[in-house]
Structure formats: structure tokens, C-alpha cells
């Protein structure tokens, strides 16, 4: 073994995704000795970036919730402030411009009334139902936004919030087992409008309304109008960079190119980790920001998987990964009035199919500094499964990338005429790319229910069946999304702080 540290730290965090970094910064701010181990060269995971030919591309996340200035649900703002760092953000006036079947064109304006009016104008016979459905989402959001958001595994906190906000707590208890589809159908009858609610859910949960937890929809469908969608100046990668700056200011440490290969157990308790280079570290608590599949199948012996994890795997499966086109294009291709985020779907029946729905993000409309002068970044991505990209020769893999990219560009020509002719740079990522650079099994975007479940009730919190081992990130409550994993970071650090008596 080339080296091993004899010192026992308070906490080791495996991975520097936003979930891991929020856990680490919160604990460092409370005085814990924290070490983050990141396998890649920079922090951020899915919220990372890369630079090519004068372009700074976001790896994944681009539509950012959690940067509001008021309430309690602005968890990214709060996470940065907790370690005395700040990030300038740029407000996005439209969350999504939808280009849907049957020429249904719709914009989700930051202004709630404007959005409701635009949607009601398309479905005038459902005006009342639209209002009632989205108002019900606000009820969930208002409950969450009234209280301090910490670990639901901490009984004293639960008692305290219950006495401080009894009605908000009871409201959340009511919605925790519910899914969006059931509630939408209580208010809305028009099948096409119900399809629209499906894609409203699908575009962040990767499942239709029927399987999307109502708590998460309450957050997404309301916060986009309350705190708004705000883009970090300098790119999404800045969030992780700033959190690392704050971590180090608070006395914590991060090591890059430090790939954990094993979580070390003694008498069934997690006591440390081993890196690919043989180095070992010990700590009182270990936190994994890797996905649950990576944690319990690769970092721990798969054959000894705790029964609770096996059960979880029967309820949740890996969502597909993405095929990502990172494009540099000449500015003339886009009119200055173009919105930053678009969704293109030509046939409702194909919404959930691989390559069916195309997501587009053009961050340079908000922050032109991310591309060379006179150019824009167009990040187009669409769900894709690992199976499509395995067992190919290097040539066949490249050819398939090229062919798929051409199909996507051809479809995008409908909303951005001249895109192909205006291309200046193109880089294509596949599920294999996501697996390799993010260390996520099959490049998955996160867990999705195998079948209709009871809302969020089946999502595990941060403690695991293994003593001393915690999980954080999108395979814990409440799931995918930067603001969601920031919540899981707050909750995880709170539970650990109580366990360590900090
Ligand atoms: N808002 C958007 O537009 C958007 C788009 C795509 C993804 N997302 C979401 O962003 C969220 C990111 O969350 P997250 O914190 O759960 O995870 P993450 O995958 O972003 O971060 C995990 C980190 O752990 C590192 N890691 C993994 N295994 C390791 C090992 N063995 N040793 C050391 N390091 C290791 C990875 O390199 C990565 O940096 C996800 O929920 C994702 O779904 C959002
Ligand atoms: C005491 C008693 C009795 C009781 C109690 C109860 C309670 C307190 C409860 C509580 C609960 C809680 C706290 C909860 C929480 C929750 C949360 C925080 C949630 C959150 C969520 C969020 C989310 C979901 C988000 C998401 C987002 C996303 C995912 C996004 C994505 C995006 C994308 C992908 C993009 C695309 C598009 C384009 C580009 C166009």
C-alpha cells in the first residue's frame, strides 16, 4: 500500500457533486474535519463544465432552481452563504419554451399570471382547472417555503418544526404519498392538456405525471415563479468552484484524481475508504455521493448488499442517460429574442422513447462570456440508454454518434433554421461518456420508479443499513435536481452533526 493516513477525520465525502459539496461545506462550517475525495480533475459532477476552443460548456445541469433571494427553499443561495461565498446569477425570464405536437407553442414565463394566461388561452375550456391545479402546487410549495429544511431523520427537528408550523407539516404529510397525475386529473379533463402536464413533469423527473411525486412538482412548478430560474454568471461550474472555495475557507479539504475503490468496514461499520492508488483514509463517518448502485455494488461487496437496498432496487430503476450535443454556433442562427431553454417533441406517443424529447439549453443568451464573440452555445440533449452504445467497434461507435447527432440537428432545424450551416464546433457525449466522466452506473440521470409508487415515501433518507455510512445526492430523498440534492446535503450534514455531537 503506497500510503495511508493514520489520522481519523470526522467525515469523508466520496464525490464532489453538489450533494457531496453541500454536505461537506455545512459540516466544515460547524467545525468538523472534512475531506472530500473526487475522482475527476474538477468538482461538480453533473454540475461540472469543460472548455474547448473558447467555449465553456456545462456538462449537464443548466436550468437552475434554488438561487432565489427569499423564503427557505433557496438552498443553493443558502449553501453558498453558509461558507461566506457569493455567486452572481442572471435571472431567466422564461423557464422553458415548449414546441409540442399539433403546433402547441407555449412559454413558461417567470411571471406566474402571464404563464397561466398563456396556457389558459390555448385551453380556454380548462381555465378553471388549470388555475386549480397549479394553485394546488403552490400549497405544497408554501408549506415547504415556510420552514427550515433539515433532516427528516432527526426527531427533535421534526418535533420543533411541527410545533412551529403545524399546518405546513400536516400539508406536507398529506402530499408526501401523492403523485401529480392523480391530482391533475381531479382538476383537468382535456387529454391534450393532461399530456402537457405529463411533459411538464417528464422534463425534470424523466417519468410522466402519474409517477412524479407531488412534493417535487410543488417545488418545481412554483419556485420557477417565486425564486425563479437563475443562471450562474460564468457557467454552472461556478457553483461547485465557489462551494470548494467556501469549504477550504472553513478548514475543509478536497483531493482530486482521488478515486475511491472501496469503503472499508470493521465489524460491519464503515470506518474508512481505499483509493485506486492504494492509499487509505479513516473517518468517524463516511458519506457517499456516488449513486446507490455504485455505492452498494462497486464500493461495497455486491453479494453482501443489505436487504433494505435490495428492496429499494425492486422499487426504483436507473433512468436512461443522455445523448448530449455540445454545439458552438454563429450568433446569426438565433434571434436575440430566443429563450434560453427549449423542449421539442413532435409526437406525444414518443415522449418517453429514447431520442423522443429533445431538451435545449442556450446559456450564452444570458451570459455571452461563455462563447467566443459572435457565437452561441447550444447544448441539445435527449434520453438514451447505455444498451444502444455497447459492443460497438471504435469506428461503429463514432459513426453512430455522427448519425444520431445529424438526426438531432435536422430535427432542431425546425425551431432554429440555419443551425446546421451555422455550426462552428461540435462535441457529442453518449451514455458511455457520462459513465466515464461522472462515474455514474450506465451514465444514469438518477433513480426513477419501476412502477407507480406512493409519491416520495419510498425514497431513502441519508442513513443507510450500514452503521457509519450515509448517502447523499440524487439517489436519496427527494431525488434529481441541483436544489433537490442541495436539500439532501443539508439533511445529511444535519443528521451527521447530531450523530457526532457537533
Ligand atoms: N438542472 C438540470 O438542468 C440538470 C441536468 C442534468 C442533471 N441534473 C442533476 O444534477 C444532480 C447532481 O447531483 P449529485 O450530487 O447527486 O451527483 P453527481 O453525479 O453530480 O456527483 C457525484 C460526484 O462523485 C464523483 N464520484 C463518483 N464516484 C466516485 C468515487 N468512487 N470516488 C471519488 N469520486 C467519485 C463523481 O466524479 C462526481 O463528481 C443530479 O440530480 C442530476 O440529476 C440537473
Ligand atoms: C412533523 C411531521 C408530522 C411531519 C413533517 C413533514 C415534513 C416536515 C416534510 C418535509 C418534507 C420536505 C422538507 C421535503 C423537501 C422537498 C424538496 C426540497 C424537494 C425539492 C425538489 C426539487 C426538484 C425536484 C428539482 C428538480 C429539478 C430538476 C431535476 C431539473 C432538471 C432540469 C433539466 C433536466 C433541464 C431540462 C430542460 C431543458 C434544457 C429545456
Amino acid at each position: 500500500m503506497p500510503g495511508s493516513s493514520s489520522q481519523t477525520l470526522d467525515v469523508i465525502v466520496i464525490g464532489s457533486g453538489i450533494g457531496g459539496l453541500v454536505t461537506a461545506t455545512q459540516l466544515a462550517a460547524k467545525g468538523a474535519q472534512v475531506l472530500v475525495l473526487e475522482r475527476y480533475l474538477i468538482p461538480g459532477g453533473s454540475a461540472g463544465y469543460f472548455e474547448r476552443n473558447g467555449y465553456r460548456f456545462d456538462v449537464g445541469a443548466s436550468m437552475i432552481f434554488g438561487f432565489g433571494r427569499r423564503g427557505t427553499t433557496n438552498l443553493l443561495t443558502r449553501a453558498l452563504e453558509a461558507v461566506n461565498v457569493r455567486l452572481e446569477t442572471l435571472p431567466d425570464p422564461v423557464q422553458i419554451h415548449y414546441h409540442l405536437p399539433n403546433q402547441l407553442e407555449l412559454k413558461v414565463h417567470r411571471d406566474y399570471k402571464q404563464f397561466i394566461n398563456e396556457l389558459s388561452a390555448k385551453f380556454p375550456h380548462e381555465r378553471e382547472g388549470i388555475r386549480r391545479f397549479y394553485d394546488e402546487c403552490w400549497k405544497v410549495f408554501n408549506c415547504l417555503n415556510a420552514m427550515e429544511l433539515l433532516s427528516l431523520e432527526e426527531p427533535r427537528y421534526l418535533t420543533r418544526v411541527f410545533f412551529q408550523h403545524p399546518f405546513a407539516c400536516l400539508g406536507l404529510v398529506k402530499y408526501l404519498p401523492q403523485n401529480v397525475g392523480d391530482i391533475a386529473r381531479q382538476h383537468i379533463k382535456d387529454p391534450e392538456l393532461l399530456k402537457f402536464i405529463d411533459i411538464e413533469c417528464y422534463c425534470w423527473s424523466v417519468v410522466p405525471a402519474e409517477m412524479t411525486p407531488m412534493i417535487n412538482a410543488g417545488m418545481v412548478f412554483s419556485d420557477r415563479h417565486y425564486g425563479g430560474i437563475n443562471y450562474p454568471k460564468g457557467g454552472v461550474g461556478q457553483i461547485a468552484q465557489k462551494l470548494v472555495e467556501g469549504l477550504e475557507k472553513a478548514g475543509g479539504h478536497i483531493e482530486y484524481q482521488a478515486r475511491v475503490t472501496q469503503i472499508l468496514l470493521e465489524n460491519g461499520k464503515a470506518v474508512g475508504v481505499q483509493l485506486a492508488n492504494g492509499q487509505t483514509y479513516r473517518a468517524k463517518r463516511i458519506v457517499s455521493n456516488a449513486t446507490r448502485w455504485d455505492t452498494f455494488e462497486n464500493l461495497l461487496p455486491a453479494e453482501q448488499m443489505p436487504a433494505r437496498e435490495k428492496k429499494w432496487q425492486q422499487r426504483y430503476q436507473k433512468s436512461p442517460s443522455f445523448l448530449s450535443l455540445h454545439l458552438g454556433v454563429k450568433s446569426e442562427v438565433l434571434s436575440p429574442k430566443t429563450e434560453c431553454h427549449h423542449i421539442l417533441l413532435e409526437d406525444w406517443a414518443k415522449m418517453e422513447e429514447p431520442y423522443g424529447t429533445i431538451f435545449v439549453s442556450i446559456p450564452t443568451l444570458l451570459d455571452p462570456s461563455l462563447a467566443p464573440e459572435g457565437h452561441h452555445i447550444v447544448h441539445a440533449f435527449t434520453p438514451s440508454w447505455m444498451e444502444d452504445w455497447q459492443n460497438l467497434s471504435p469506428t461503429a461507435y463514432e459513426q453512430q454518434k455522427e448519425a444520431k447527432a445529424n438526426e438531432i440537428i435536422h430535427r432542431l432545424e425546425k425551431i432554429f433554421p440555419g443551425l446546421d450551416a451555422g455550426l462552428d464546433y461540435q462535441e457529442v457525449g453518449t451514455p458511455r461518456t457520462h459513465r466515464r466522466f461522472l462515474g455514474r452506473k450506465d451514465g444514469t440521470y438518477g433513480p426513477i420508479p419501476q412502477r407507480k409508487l406512493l409519491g416520495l415515501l419510498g425514497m431513502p433518507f441519508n442513513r443507510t443499513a450500514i452503521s457509519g455510512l450515509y448517502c447523499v445526492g440524487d439517489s436519496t430523498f427527494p431525488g434529481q435536481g441541483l436544489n433537490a440534492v442541495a436539500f439532501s446535503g443539508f439533511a445529511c450534514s444535519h443528521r451527521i452533526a447530531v450523530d457526532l455531537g457537533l
Side-chain angles (χ1 to χ4, degrees):
M1 210 181 290
S4 83
S5 168
S6 52
Q7 186 201 1
T8 299
L9 297 151
D10 287 324
V11 183
I12 288 173
V13 179
I14 306 168
S16 66
I18 299 302
L21 285 176
V22 172
T23 312
T25 46
Q26 286 290 309
L27 284 164
K30 290 191 175 88
Q33 278 179 300
V34 183
L35 172 65
V36 179
L37 298 167
E38 168 55 53
R39 66 205 285 280
Y40 193 44
L41 301 161
I42 55 162
S46 310
Y49 71 97
F50 62 93
E51 287 175 332
R52 299 277 189 282
N53 292 21
Y55 294 95
R56 184 182 289 176
F57 294 108
D58 297 328
V59 166
S62 60
M63 180 194 291
I64 313 298
F65 296 79
F67 271 130
R69 304 249 35 108
R70 48 196 180 126
T72 58
T73 50
N74 54 347
L75 296 171
L76 289 178
T77 304
R78 285 166 172 263
L80 293 165
E81 278 173 0
V83 281
N84 301 313
V85 286
R86 285 191 77 94
L87 189 52
E88 191 183 336
T89 58
L90 305 155
D92 195 346
V94 171
Q95 182 213 6
I96 301 180
H97 182 165
Y98 285 107
H99 311 267
L100 300 174
N102 313 322
Q103 277 86 47
L104 180 57
E105 290 278 325
L106 262 165
K107 291 180 200 166
V108 181
H109 300 273
R110 191 179 184 111
D111 184 281
Y112 180 58
K113 276 200 191 120
Q114 199 181 349
F115 162 61
I116 292 294
N117 285 340
E118 188 163 321
L119 183 59
S120 303
K122 304 276 177 185
F123 299 93
H125 51 291
E126 287 278 21
R127 182 173 286 276
E128 263 313 295
I130 290 172
R131 170 64 78 176
R132 283 201 311 267
F133 168 68
Y134 284 103
D135 279 356
E136 192 152 355
C137 296
W138 276 103
K139 280 191 202 157
V140 176
F141 179 75
N142 291 335
C143 293
L144 282 170
N145 204 39
M147 61 176 72
E148 195 187 3
L149 300 177
L150 289 172
S151 174
L152 302 181
E153 291 182 286
E154 216 290 279
R156 269 178 308 169
Y157 157 76
L158 281 184
T159 315
R160 176 159 47 90
V161 288
F162 186 74
F163 281 108
Q164 285 168 342
H165 310 280
F167 294 111
C169 285
L170 292 174
L172 292 172
V173 170
K174 171 181 157 199
Y175 286 110
L176 272 174
Q178 303 209 48
N179 289 315
V180 181
D182 296 322
I183 291 179
R185 279 195 309 273
Q186 288 166 16
H187 303 298
I188 293 169
K189 298 285 168 274
D190 185 301
E192 197 175 14
L193 183 54
L194 286 169
K195 288 274 172 216
F196 174 72
I197 304 294
D198 272 335
I199 199 154
E200 277 261 88
C201 292
Y202 179 79
C203 71
W204 49 271
S205 70
V206 213
V207 284
E210 188 73 359
M211 305 223 281
T212 300
M214 185 61 187
I215 295 268
N216 286 355
M219 275 289 282
V220 172
F221 296 159
S222 309
D223 193 34
R224 61 191 185 181
H225 308 290
Y226 179 87
I229 304 297
N230 300 284
Y231 189 79
K233 195 159 192 283
V236 170
Q238 288 298 310
I239 307 172
Q241 303 274 353
K242 284 283 169 190
L243 283 172
V244 167
E245 190 185 314
L247 172 72
E248 289 175 337
K249 272 203 224 173
H253 297 281
I254 182 163
E255 261 183 44
Y256 299 105
Q257 291 180 285
R259 183 164 67 88
V260 173
T261 49
Q262 204 187 332
I263 294 171
L264 303 173
L265 302 179
E266 276 173 16
N267 304 321
K269 183 179 186 314
V271 294
V273 298
Q274 177 159 353
L275 304 189
N277 67 5
Q279 171 120 21
T280 60
Y281 287 103
R282 293 178 72 88
K284 296 177 192 153
R285 296 291 185 275
I286 311 294
V287 179
S288 176
N289 186 204
T291 72
R292 285 200 110 74
W293 295 282
D294 291 285
T295 305
F296 287 95
E297 290 170 20
N298 297 345
L299 300 181
L300 288 162
E303 61 283 1
Q304 287 167 30
M305 189 184 296
R308 218 199 279 172
E309 288 305 317
K310 284 190 193 148
K311 237 184 176 164
W312 182 80
Q313 290 199 356
Q314 284 161 10
R315 288 194 303 255
Y316 288 88
Q317 59 178 327
K318 284 173 247 135
S319 77
S321 183
F322 286 102
L323 174 75
S324 283
L325 274 62
H326 296 278
L327 309 175
V329 303
K330 298 204 181 84
S331 298
E332 306 85 89
V333 176
L334 304 170
S335 105
K337 287 201 186 128
T338 312
E339 291 73 29
C340 181
H341 294 104
H342 298 255
I343 284 187
L344 172 67
L345 175 68
E346 297 96 334
D347 178 354
W348 283 120
K350 297 203 167 140
M351 182 183 83
E352 290 180 75
E353 282 183 16
Y355 319 105
T357 303
I358 304 180
F359 306 77
V360 180
S361 166
I362 315 171
T364 39
L365 289 163
L366 295 170
D367 183 356
S369 76
L370 303 173
E373 215 180 315
H375 293 80
H376 276 299
I377 283 173
V378 174
H379 179 197
F381 51 104
T382 183
S384 172
W385 294 94
M386 179 60 91
E387 290 90 274
D388 283 4
W389 300 91
Q390 273 167 328
N391 307 318
L392 297 170
S393 70
T395 327
Y397 178 68
E398 286 306 321
Q399 282 170 346
Q400 185 164 311
K401 267 167 82 161
E402 185 72 19
K404 286 282 178 212
N406 287 343
E407 274 171 38
I408 302 291
I409 291 170
H410 176 73
R411 284 167 65 195
L412 287 176
E413 282 277 340
K414 222 176 301 162
I415 49 176
F416 307 122
L419 179 67
D420 196 11
L423 281 184
D424 168 57
Y425 184 82
Q426 171 174 324
E427 178 126 347
V428 182
T430 71
R432 275 165 64 173
T433 322
H434 289 98
R435 179 178 62 188
R436 175 168 165 218
F437 287 99
L438 303 178
R440 299 176 67 98
K441 202 154 208 167
D442 296 339
T444 181
Y445 169 74
I448 53 174
Q450 298 255 21
R451 53 180 190 280
K452 189 177 169 188
L453 300 174
L454 290 175
L456 267 184
L457 283 189
M459 270 306 259
F461 297 120
N462 305 102
R463 285 192 290 198
T464 69
I466 294 175
S467 164
L469 176 67
Y470 303 70
C471 281
V472 73
D474 58 22
S475 27
T476 58
F477 183 98
Q480 287 95 321
L482 291 196
N483 207 25
V485 302
F487 170 80
S488 101
F490 274 95
C492 186
S493 57
H494 176 211
R495 186 59 251 181
I496 292 176
V498 173
D499 290 346
L500 291 179
L502 294 174

